[in-house]
Amino acid sequence: MNKQQIAPYVAIIIGVIAVSTSAIFVRLADAPSSITANYRLLLAVIIMLPYILWRNIGEFRHISKRDWVYSAAAGVFLAFHFILWFESLNHTSVASSVVLVTTQPIFAFIGTYLFFKERFTSGAVLSMLIAFTGSAIISWGDFQISGWALFGNFLALMGAIAITGYFLFGQNVRQRLSLMTYTFIVYSISSITLILYNIILNEPFTGYSSDTWLYFLALAIIPTFFGHTLFNWAIKWVSASTITMGILFEPVGASVLAYFILGELVTWSQFLGGSIVIVGLMLFIISTSKKRKVKVINQRENKQLK
């Protein structure tokens, strides 16, 4: 394997480490969850703005009304994903929250089944049952500690469902818009949604310490650009399932960082349940990616026969 082949895998490793910092910065920021989410996205939009004005501004003239509507819906779902997930970190451990929010691929597949008639394989069903068994073990263990921890776990799962809505609305639009333009639009709409949400809740937009502002900025840069942007770059050379598999190690990275930075221990139920969830998700990704490859091959064969 030469350097060019290794580079995407190095990018995935760096990306996993970067996104693993997200939960840590949220915990360290001394601000309401919705405000933290607000500034993560708003600062990301401000950082992207010069590039969009320089390179992508002409693309906006060709965006259809349908794509604007779908992008807006994706942005609203992304905003509520961050609200739910960040709030879950106020009630449960980093390990439990990140593991449960990582179950998003399962909810995405359920969404494609409901809306696009995607069929389940027996392997996908079995792997989903394994993952949800692990989630139940985590929740049972956390409930022994505190009812609020169980509530935090529920919020993390709702956050996984919300990010599924973001992907379902965005996947079609992404076929017609460049990555930077689409991301800028969605982040901008998410920021507006969060600003309105915080105004309704009467959350303060100012008065935070310099350390908290640094954590806001770190959230906008490290997990966003050094995390998700590197994943989007790597997808040119590796499969989406490989990247998704890599992202499954985010709970491991987040738990290690939480131990050293926050002094947060991992309980036996979190370790056992989290391991089962990750194994279930790996099996799920393998089974569904194989199914999609077969579908693509069959479509090509049918075209050749015609």
Side-chain angles (χ1 to χ4, degrees), residues 20-29 89 94 254-255 257-258 261-262:
S20 297
T21 64
S22 185
I24 309 303
F25 291 136
V26 172
R27 275 287 191 84
L28 292 172
L89 289 162
V94 167
S255 298
L257 290 173
I261 297 173
L262 304 176

Side-chain angles (χ1 to χ4, degrees), residues 2 21 37 49-50 56 75 80 84 86 91 155 170 178 180 186 253 260:
N2 58 40
T21 64
L49 184 59
N56 293 50
F80 280 94
L84 291 162
F86 287 7
H91 302 287
L155 290 176
S178 67
M180 287 297 286
V186 171
F260 285 105

Side-chain angles (χ1 to χ4, degrees), residues 99-111 120 124-140 153 156-158 160-161 164 269 272-282 284:
V99 164
L100 294 173
V101 85
T102 308
T103 58
Q104 176 273 323
I106 290 177
F107 290 110
F109 203 75
I110 293 171
F120 288 106
V125 173
L126 178 61
S127 56
M128 281 193 288
L129 290 173
I130 292 171
F132 284 130
T133 299
S135 300
I137 292 171
I138 293 171
S139 297
W140 179 82
N153 293 348
L157 284 173
M158 291 300 102
I161 293 172
T164 298
S269 60
L272 176 62
S275 300
I276 292 171
V277 169
I278 291 171
V279 168
L281 287 170
M282 283 182 173
F284 177 81

Side-chain angles (χ1 to χ4, degrees), residues 156-221:
L157 284 173
M158 291 300 102
I161 293 172
I163 198 69
T164 298
Y166 159 69
F167 284 125
L168 289 176
F169 276 103
Q171 65 181 4
N172 188 260
V173 181
R174 270 289 290 119
Q175 295 173 9
R176 290 179 294 280
L177 298 184
S178 67
L179 172 65
M180 287 297 286
T181 298
Y182 171 72
T183 303
F184 180 80
I185 291 170
V186 171
Y187 282 9
S188 298
I189 292 166
S190 289
S191 297
I192 294 167
T193 303
L194 285 160
I195 288 169
L196 294 173
Y197 182 87
N198 285 311
I199 289 172
I200 291 168
L201 292 185
N202 200 29
E203 298 286 11
F205 286 90
T206 57
Y208 301 107
S209 67
S210 56
D211 284 347
T212 294
W213 283 104
L214 284 174
Y215 296 136
F216 290 159
L217 185 60
L219 275 166
I221 295 173

